[in-house]
Amino acid sequence: MTGFARQSADTAAGTMTWELRAVNHRFLEIQFRLPEELRPQEQAFKQKVASVLRRGKVDCALHFNRAFSQQDELQLNSEMVELLGTRVTEIQNALPNATSPAALDILRWPGVIAESELDAEPLAADAMQLLDTALQSMVEMRLSEGQRIHEMLTTLSLIHISEPTRRH
């Protein structure tokens, strides 16, 4: 059966949102889109989904927006800034008409700003707990859809049975 679930939670590390989408499929096929910090947990997440769902093509996406902490964030990589400054000077010597990059341009350069490492264990535990909630929501949606289909088929079969049979 088809199904959809979306569950969000605020954690100490940031905001997590699971989006689960399922369509009919003969077997269970599970695909994940995970943030880099949680990719090592993919197999555990697959086992969790497989313990709840038996069939369907299931797409699972975890979105994570990291919480901002003034103490841990925006650590400047001074060596990288110094190296970029040296390279900018070399370019300006070779090309006198070249403009200097603005400070914000340098801050956008990959590796200039380093984020502190997240503790993956509590992050994974929070993600697993939220996945469980999302799976339960999907199961409830599938049961509701199944009940509606059952009622529709029952109504159709009663209409069909009550109509007189015509012979030609």
Side-chain angles (χ1 to χ4, degrees):
M1 272 192 208
T2 61
F4 175 80
R6 180 184 173 103
Q7 294 291 324
S8 293
D10 291 324
T11 69
T15 302
M16 285 185 196
T17 302
W18 274 108
E19 285 186 4
L20 310 179
R21 299 177 198 286
V23 294
N24 290 336
H25 193 58
R26 187 174 177 187
F27 304 104
L28 181 61
E29 183 180 323
I30 308 166
Q31 297 293 320
F32 280 92
R33 285 186 308 279
L34 299 170
E36 197 63 40
E37 299 90 349
L38 291 169
R39 287 193 186 202
Q41 299 299 319
E42 184 171 345
Q43 190 59 37
F45 294 147
K46 273 188 181 182
Q47 289 173 351
K48 182 61 155 177
V49 172
S51 73
V52 176
L53 304 177
R54 300 287 178 238
R55 300 178 55 214
K57 184 174 192 279
V58 185
D59 290 318
C60 307
L62 177 60
H63 306 284
F64 177 63
N65 292 323
R66 191 171 177 171
F68 179 73
S69 167
Q70 289 183 336
Q71 298 157 349
D72 298 334
E73 299 293 323
L74 302 179
Q75 297 172 1
L76 188 64
N77 182 340
S78 300
E79 292 85 21
M80 176 70 82
V81 171
E82 203 172 303
L83 180 61
L84 285 172
T86 302
R87 297 300 176 245
V88 166
T89 302
E90 290 172 4
I91 290 171
Q92 287 175 330
N93 289 338
L95 304 168
N97 294 332
T99 60
S100 297
L104 284 176
D105 294 330
I106 293 173
L107 285 173
R108 287 186 196 114
W109 193 268
V112 169
I113 298 294
E115 291 184 324
S116 61
E117 292 286 321
L118 281 176
D119 188 357
E121 194 172 313
L123 188 64
D126 290 340
M128 187 65 78
Q129 184 177 11
L130 189 59
L131 176 59
D132 189 46
T133 304
L135 285 167
Q136 294 310 313
S137 178
M138 178 174 275
V139 166
E140 290 170 12
M141 182 183 185
R142 285 175 135 188
L143 288 172
S144 173
E145 180 186 13
Q147 183 62 35
R148 285 192 311 273
I149 291 171
H150 178 267
E151 289 170 3
M152 181 184 70
L153 291 174
T154 302
T155 303
L156 287 175
S157 67
L158 288 176
I159 291 171
H160 181 64
I161 291 172
S162 65
E163 290 180 0
T165 310
R166 296 185 203 176
R167 296 191 178 213
H168 295 274

